[in-house]
Amino acid sequence: MDNKKEQVLSILEKDCTVSVEQIAAMLSMDVVEVAGIIDECRKNGTILKDRSVINWEKTNREMVTAMIELKVTPQRGGGFDRIAERIYQYSEVNSLYLMSGGFDLMVIIQGKSMKEVALFVSEKLAPLESVLGTATHFVLKKYKHDDVIFEEQPEDDREVITL
């Protein structure tokens, strides 16, 4: 990947609302060139989606986020990919990662309640033929997500006193 494309993508990754004109000015590039890079990246699947990071704690929406670790048996001829494809088809699944360590897959889901998440695990994930075990962790508070700090801490305005 060339340097110009990397620079454009880095800017968009931090803030997808930056206009083509703003990116061109920031990088001292032609607007048409920046638009071409963005268009090419959309077409070839490098840019998958534009989205906002929402702090749902500041709304009335009740939501619980869970991280579910799965220990699975890789399938012959498909390895982890075939079981992962089956799992990510569920509408409840927000993210799915192949991991190293004690578990093989990390599934991140959101539900309206802990009970809804528990039912998803017990009725949809755990019964899958390749799943050997699960461990569910609930997010209690988000401090930072996708490089966005959710609650800025007030600056300490106390004066320093030395003796």
Side-chain angles (χ1 to χ4, degrees), residues 89-122:
Q89 297 298 326
Y90 290 118
S91 62
E92 295 91 343
V93 175
N94 289 346
S95 301
L96 177 62
Y97 305 100
L98 178 62
M99 305 292 290
S100 64
F103 286 84
D104 302 307
L105 297 173
M106 172 68 74
V107 182
I108 300 176
I109 71 167
Q110 288 186 323
K112 293 179 181 153
S113 66
M114 288 185 180
K115 182 177 181 179
E116 185 176 274
V117 170
L119 288 173
F120 174 76
V121 173
S122 65

Side-chain angles (χ1 to χ4, degrees), residues 22-56:
Q22 289 171 312
I23 295 171
M26 292 165 76
L27 300 176
S28 301
M29 291 173 60
D30 183 63
V31 173
V32 175
E33 184 181 10
V34 171
I37 290 171
I38 293 170
D39 188 47
E40 174 195 336
C41 289
R42 287 186 194 286
K43 286 179 182 173
N44 72 21
T46 303
I47 296 176
L48 298 174
K49 191 173 191 172
D50 299 330
R51 63 185 319 177
S52 298
V53 178
I54 309 295
N55 185 352
W56 290 107

Side-chain angles (χ1 to χ4, degrees), residues 3-162:
N3 193 36
K4 288 180 181 180
K5 187 186 292 184
E6 255 184 60
Q7 290 175 318
V8 170
L9 292 173
S10 291
I11 290 169
L12 288 174
E13 183 179 39
K14 288 182 182 134
D15 184 358
C16 67
T17 64
V18 178
S19 71
V20 173
E21 294 79 12
Q22 289 171 312
I23 295 171
M26 292 165 76
L27 300 176
S28 301
M29 291 173 60
D30 183 63
V31 173
V32 175
E33 184 181 10
V34 171
I37 290 171
I38 293 170
D39 188 47
E40 174 195 336
C41 289
R42 287 186 194 286
K43 286 179 182 173
N44 72 21
T46 303
I47 296 176
L48 298 174
K49 191 173 191 172
D50 299 330
R51 63 185 319 177
S52 298
V53 178
I54 309 295
N55 185 352
W56 290 107
E57 292 291 318
K58 297 197 179 241
T59 70
N60 293 329
R61 184 175 176 185
E62 294 292 323
M63 190 65 68
V64 62
T65 302
M67 296 177 193
I68 306 157
E69 297 171 320
L70 298 178
K71 185 74 176 162
V72 300
T73 302
Q75 295 184 347
R76 185 179 308 237
F80 292 104
D81 295 342
R82 192 169 293 147
I83 185 69
E85 184 177 349
R86 187 164 178 198
I87 292 169
Y88 71 59
Q89 297 298 326
Y90 290 118
S91 62
E92 295 91 343
V93 175
N94 289 346
S95 301
L96 177 62
Y97 305 100
L98 178 62
M99 305 292 290
S100 64
F103 286 84
D104 302 307
L105 297 173
M106 172 68 74
V107 182
I108 300 176
I109 71 167
Q110 288 186 323
K112 293 179 181 153
S113 66
M114 288 185 180
K115 182 177 181 179
E116 185 176 274
V117 170
L119 288 173
F120 174 76
V121 173
S122 65
E123 294 176 358
K124 294 184 179 177
L125 289 182
L128 292 174
E129 186 177 303
S130 297
V131 174
L132 302 174
T134 68
T136 303
H137 308 275
F138 291 96
V139 174
L140 302 177
K141 182 176 181 177
K142 281 187 185 179
Y143 294 100
K144 186 175 183 178
H145 178 79
D146 282 344
D147 210 28
V148 176
I149 297 171
F150 275 61
E151 303 228 3
E152 294 289 338
Q153 298 300 317
E155 283 194 35
D156 187 357
D157 59 354
R158 297 178 292 176
E159 291 185 31
V160 176
I161 299 174
T162 58

